[in-house]
Amino acid sequence: MSYHERLAELVAKRAAPHLEPGEQIQTGFIALTGSWIFTVPAATVVATDRAILVVGRDGVQRLPRDVRFGEPTGMYHQIELDRTYKVHRQYYPELTAADRALSEMRNRGNLPESEQP
């Protein structure tokens, strides 16, 4: 099993209990919180067709899907969700995929709930 297959399996496993019926995972990645890289808890961030899920030790946060992560740079890219997270460069393809999926949803007129009139 390749690295990307293992990551997809991990993301799906962590997100599964929190998905709504029919909700589809688009991509996901691991993000860190706090100020020290080696002593901070990690969260799994999952982009679906309806929301951004932040799955951590304290439970799950369901945030609006209209979040854009931006062009990742450096060793760690900071993103703002319910707090500040740091995403290691190994997950930059997933950040880019999440932004691309959001753009495609908007282009098709399939807007996230937070953007619907």
Side-chain angles (χ1 to χ4, degrees):
M1 183 181 289
S2 75
Y3 167 77
H4 288 288
E5 291 170 331
R6 287 192 310 271
L7 176 62
E9 185 177 301
L10 171 72
V11 166
K13 179 180 175 183
R14 291 187 180 168
H18 311 291
L19 295 175
E20 296 175 348
E23 189 170 15
Q24 299 293 312
I25 296 173
Q26 294 172 329
T27 190
F29 51 90
I30 307 300
L32 304 174
T33 61
S35 58
W36 296 101
I37 294 170
F38 298 109
T39 61
V40 296
T44 304
V45 179
V46 182
T48 75
D49 58 335
R50 299 180 192 169
I52 298 292
L53 304 177
V54 180
V55 184
R57 290 187 302 174
D58 299 334
V60 65
Q61 294 275 337
R62 180 174 279 274
L63 305 170
R65 179 58 184 99
D66 59 355
V67 173
R68 291 192 55 83
F69 298 112
E71 185 66 33
T73 58
M75 179 72 80
Y76 286 89
H77 180 68
Q78 286 193 356
I79 60 173
E80 294 291 331
L81 297 172
D82 58 321
R83 66 180 74 158
T84 301
Y85 292 91
K86 293 179 219 130
V87 181
H88 189 270
R89 67 181 179 189
Q90 76 188 66
Y91 300 116
Y92 286 5
E94 285 75 20
L95 287 173
T96 302
D99 282 353
R100 187 172 43 250
L102 178 61
S103 292
E104 290 171 2
M105 287 170 50
R106 287 176 173 157
N107 290 341
R108 288 191 313 262
N110 184 14
L111 300 176
E113 291 178 12
S114 59
E115 294 183 15
Q116 292 183 10

